[in-house]
Amino acid sequence: MSAAEAGGVFRRARGRTLDAFSSEKEREWKGPFYFIQGADPQFGLMKAWSTGDCDSGGDEWEQEIRLTEQAVQAINKLNPKPKFFVLCGDLVHAMPGTPWRKEQTEDLQRVLRTVDGEIPLVLVSGNHDVGNVPTPETIAEFQRTWGDDYFSFWAGGVLFLVLNSQFFYDASMCPALKQAQDQWLDQQLSIAGQQKCQHAVVFQHIPLFLQSIDEDDDYFNLTKLVRKEMADKFSQAEPENSRCAGDGLGCGPHGKSHSRNGNGCPDGPIH
């Protein structure tokens, strides 16, 4: 399936927003709703992990296809329908420029095309999608394939912010792109304060922390320096009763949920 054929389903984030929702209609809070959050479908990981070759393995992904199909079928049966379905990164296992990436991407797109057309897809970039050290080229590839790597949208009176967390991990090869996201984020947080939105939710692949903002640096979190900077930024702009969502539901290398109190943040319902 070509990018053009997939465009109607996947390439919705453009101009740093998601056109699946009308900001004018969705800006007003009208009551509770829910969304579905997942992470790391990562087609190819299971074979690579089983062989112990996570760098160049992963030439099979039938099991991931089957599991993702089961997830989509379950989502499509939900009534009432979720507001949207967000995948928080590591869409495929193959890193940019490595074998199997094109095939894994095409198979994931094929499965995701079966998501109910009334349930918008929200796609977040992970390290396997843009590289551990992203470059302008890997970011451009993600944008061509899946849409903007960071953007915002209003849904049900909630401001949702989607961030490219690899810029917080290592932006040494694309400092200008990180600076652009930083400036954009400051603008968005300013808007959140001005609008006094009922909730503000942040999606990103690498969570700020797992249990405590003072925890040691780890593969599954951002460094103390970065997490404090980001936490301070969010706290200063945080509307009353806001919620925070980190990476997904415990599936995949970065599949750890951000937690303020050790119990994790809510993975879906907004009350």
Side-chain angles (χ1 to χ4, degrees):
M1 179 176 54
S2 68
E5 290 172 329
V9 177
F10 304 107
R11 297 175 65 181
R12 290 180 174 173
R14 283 289 181 266
R16 302 305 174 193
T17 191
L18 192 69
D19 63 13
F21 298 103
S22 167
S23 60
E24 293 183 2
K25 295 180 180 179
E26 295 289 341
R27 196 179 297 267
E28 181 182 354
W29 173 260
K30 297 181 180 179
F33 63 91
Y34 79 103
F35 59 87
I36 301 297
Q37 183 187 25
D40 302 71
Q42 204 160 342
F43 282 20
L45 172 64
M46 290 182 174
K47 172 66 179 295
W49 187 265
S50 67
T51 61
D53 186 7
C54 286
D55 292 329
S56 58
D59 59 341
E60 298 176 10
W61 48 92
E62 286 301 319
Q63 191 171 356
E64 289 95 323
I65 290 176
R66 184 173 67 256
L67 292 171
T68 307
E69 288 174 339
Q70 292 174 357
V72 169
Q73 291 167 8
I75 291 170
N76 287 345
K77 293 177 181 178
L78 292 171
N79 185 23
K81 298 180 187 299
K83 194 76 172 177
F84 58 83
F85 173 29
V86 57
L87 277 174
C88 283
D90 279 1
L91 305 177
V92 299
H93 179 67
M95 289 282 191
T98 64
W100 317 117
R101 184 173 175 86
K102 178 176 180 292
E103 293 82 0
Q104 291 172 7
T105 298
E106 290 176 345
D107 279 344
L108 178 59
Q109 289 179 334
R110 175 179 55 79
V111 176
L112 292 181
R113 284 182 69 87
T114 64
V115 175
D116 188 316
E118 296 183 21
I119 304 174
L121 288 168
V122 180
L123 300 168
V124 183
S125 64
N127 57 305
H128 280 261
D129 305 311
V130 298
N132 288 322
V133 184
T135 68
E137 292 75 22
T138 63
I139 298 299
E141 181 201 348
F142 181 87
Q143 292 173 338
R144 289 193 302 268
T145 305
W146 301 108
D148 284 346
D149 55 318
Y150 63 90
F151 55 94
S152 66
F153 61 98
W154 288 86
V158 176
L159 177 61
F160 290 92
L161 301 170
V162 174
L163 302 182
N164 183 343
S165 58
Q166 288 310 119
F167 289 152
F168 306 138
Y169 177 79
D170 188 343
S172 59
M173 299 296 291
C174 53
L177 295 181
K178 178 187 183 300
Q179 183 180 23
Q181 177 178 260
D182 289 345
Q183 294 174 346
W184 172 88
L185 178 58
D186 289 341
Q187 295 171 350
Q188 294 298 308
L189 294 177
S190 176
I191 291 173
Q194 295 169 7
Q195 295 290 333
K196 297 181 179 179
C197 54
Q198 182 80 2
H199 299 282
V201 176
V202 177
F203 293 123
Q204 60 190 58
H205 182 63
I206 309 177
L208 298 184
F209 54 87
L210 304 181
Q211 299 296 331
S212 167
I213 195 168
D214 296 320
E215 68 192 21
D216 292 337
D217 295 350
D218 188 83
Y219 177 72
F220 296 105
N221 60 24
L222 293 172
T223 65
K224 288 183 180 180
L225 180 63
V226 172
R227 81 176 73 131
K228 184 179 186 307
E229 176 186 348
M230 297 303 298
D232 288 346
K233 182 176 295 191
F234 291 144
S235 296
Q236 291 170 6
E238 184 175 19
E240 185 179 358
N241 297 325
S242 71
R243 301 295 182 104
C244 171
D247 190 15
L249 303 172
C251 52
H254 275 98
K256 302 286 188 178
S257 293
H258 168 95
S259 172
R260 289 182 178 175
N261 56 15
N263 296 321
C265 282
D267 289 319
I270 298 293
H271 300 287

